Amino acid sequence: MMCLNPIDRLRGCIASAAGLPINAVVASLEVAKEGFGDYTLVLPKAGISKAQAEEAAKTITRCSLVSRAQLSGIYLNIYLNREEFAYTTLENVVGYPDYGICREEKPKRIVVEYVSANPIHPLHIGAARNAALGSFIAKILKSFGNEVQTRFYINDVGRQTAVVALGFKLLGKVELPDNMKPDHFIGLVYAVTSTLADIQSIKKRLATATGEESKRLQEELDQLLADAARLSKIAPDIFTAISEKARDIDFEEEISKIMKSYEAGEPETVKLVRSIVEKCIEGFKETLRRFGAEIEVWDWESDLVWSGEVAKVIEMLKKVATVHKGALAVDFKAIDSPELRARLGIPKNLEVPPLVIMRSDGTTLYTVRDIAYTLKKFREFNADRVINVIAAEQTLAQAQLRLALYMLGFTREAENLLHYSYEMVSMEGVKMSSRRGRIVTLDEVLDEAKRRVLVELEKRGSQSQEVAEKMGVAAVRFYLLSVTPSRPVKFSWSLVLDFEKNSAPYLLYTYARTEGIFRKAREVGIELSWSKLLEIMDRRFAEHERRWRLVKLVAQFPETMLASYRSLDPSTLAVYLLKLADEFNSWYDEEPVITEPKESIRAAKLLLVYAVNRVISTGLQILGIEPLPQI
RNA sequence: GGGCCCGUAGCUCAGCCAGGACAGAGCGCCGGCCUGCGGAGCCGGUGGUCCGGGGUUCAAAUCCCCGCGGGCCCGCCA
């Protein structure tokens, strides 16, 4: 990994000065606790004996970045040479415009598939977490020098598109109103049709049910009727039109007919389904562009079926299939082993049931189609790696996918397919359901965020729509990225729209403040040539405590980026940026920069502001947030 | 019934994977700072059986085992 990294330099310097193996230093060097120096070597971790440590405490000062070291129990507390270290750090920042970003020595070709939401309703807040994570992954991988391609899998084969197609058939037209985004309108048609279909089906079952079963169905029906009542209020026209026709048709029969004829490629159905889905995709693209999560390649699941690629996979699967519960299925028991699981990244106790190959009516199944899709992703981009950003609820299906690939002999693909799993976004108490139209859409969250930012802007005498839009989007993105992916996110308006300390607006404001200092400096005739400032600055400036703390945090940036890159976890970076902003604001409040009388100190202060400016800017961009020079 | 993930201050979260010194932030609450380069700020205070119980270790929020609570999955749905 190639990059300018002050901490890396420090580790090398310490290792050679103290005569310690570099691995030992890497494993045991930590940021010191408050009051115990700057860095600490934890001796047992490094495998260093007491005698060695005593010797090291003396020789370590040969490293010019270190001023002294003190042995304290199992710790060797290291006090840095502030002049040297501060200069090195600022030199790195000035010398490399992308300070903090490293270059992968062996860049890879990587496909990142994300969002891939069902194309029959607007993107909701859960999909937003996916979009934020997926676009973050693509950005950080790309910035480190990898070739990245982003893809969206349009799930147009299957029951749900048939449901919405039937809805439009019943409506009698496929025209969409101009006053609503297409995906929002389609979402309503879908929710109405789906709810009415389920009501019909439950009523049928209720007619013959008895006892407990009957009671359970009745409860389910009550819930459905409540949803229907709500939908009839939200979308009265759609609701009336569809429910009037509902009496005369059998939903299940109609839906199944559409499904079959779509898979078969029957032209009229293809035209109907495609025209609806295309409109919905238009809505997705608009939202994703707004959210800073655009996707390059859009793949139709149906194309895989019609081109025969899925059939080919099924032929291959048949050769390794056995009969399971009366259906042709692939049983993974034969190849399953702890070693294989480790190679494919499958949890060791996960029970993996056999994978059914196709329905008895001959239509295909999702996971099987996904095998064909995975092969396509590897093939078309000549990818070394494919990352699927998919919610944790699909862990099992994704494990089956990798095992199936392996069983078919696609070893390389199976080993290099990564299920990037994240937990869902839940609403306080309410269960989100797109089938019932019970969702918080990303569009409305962004609208509300923008509105709230505008209120704050107006308090400060601005009413820039553009700034409000960008800040609103930033706030939502940041909120979704600042929680570790493996942890569930509880959605709440008050948290998303909290613009105080732990937020994107706070970071953006801090960044704008650094820009403000530069503007002011130019106004009073200070030349902002960073390399020149580096020459004239007083290297002892970091004797001052707050300046020093800031230097150390800036020095930590490449390490933080690297950790975020390796784990693909944006929260590491988000938390770091907040800490840096806090530290900067504390210092800013304490010391003036422009009016500093001593030129050499002023130069150092300006460089410190510049360093913070670069770090926040780079960090935000990786998180998919555009820094604003002026708010 | 089995599996995956989560459980840290009143609330929202970091720290856990690679065990180390008194467990950290923000919000909230209480009290200060407002003629200064941008106050979405700054300074101080308040607040914790790290879900519980065992075990491993010189050392456990972190690793292992047994429980408890919550979310999700176990379909010829996607």
Side-chain angles (χ1 to χ4, degrees), chain A residues 426-471:
Chain A
S426 61
M427 292 218 290
E428 26 205 13
V430 196
K431 193 159 165 61
M432 276 201 260
S433 166
S434 37
R435 289 173 61 166
R436 304 280 165 262
R438 218 166 40 218
I439 55 176
V440 175
T441 69
L442 177 53
D443 290 317
E444 64 183 301
V445 173
L446 295 180
D447 287 344
E448 180 61 17
K450 180 180 178 182
R451 203 185 61 74
R452 289 281 274 273
V453 172
L454 214 45
V455 170
E456 292 296 315
L457 283 177
E458 275 162 8
K459 282 188 202 163
R460 296 165 176 77
S462 160
Q463 37 189 322
S464 166
Q465 293 286 323
E466 201 194 333
V467 169
E469 167 70 18
K470 285 180 175 165
M471 262 194 145

Side-chain angles (χ1 to χ4, degrees), chain A residues 351-368:
Chain A
E351 241 180 81
V352 186
L355 176 68
V356 175
I357 290 174
M358 65 170 162
R359 292 194 191 92
S360 40
D361 70 0
T363 55
T364 57
L365 285 156
Y366 178 80
T367 306
V368 172

Side-chain angles (χ1 to χ4, degrees), chain A residues 543-551 583 586-588 590-591 608:
Chain A
E543 291 307 317
H544 181 284
E545 204 53 36
R546 283 217 190 280
R547 299 179 201 160
W548 175 235
R549 292 164 65 97
L550 211 39
V551 166
E583 204 63 53
S586 291
W587 172 63
Y588 167 86
E590 189 176 304
E591 286 205 297
L608 205 47

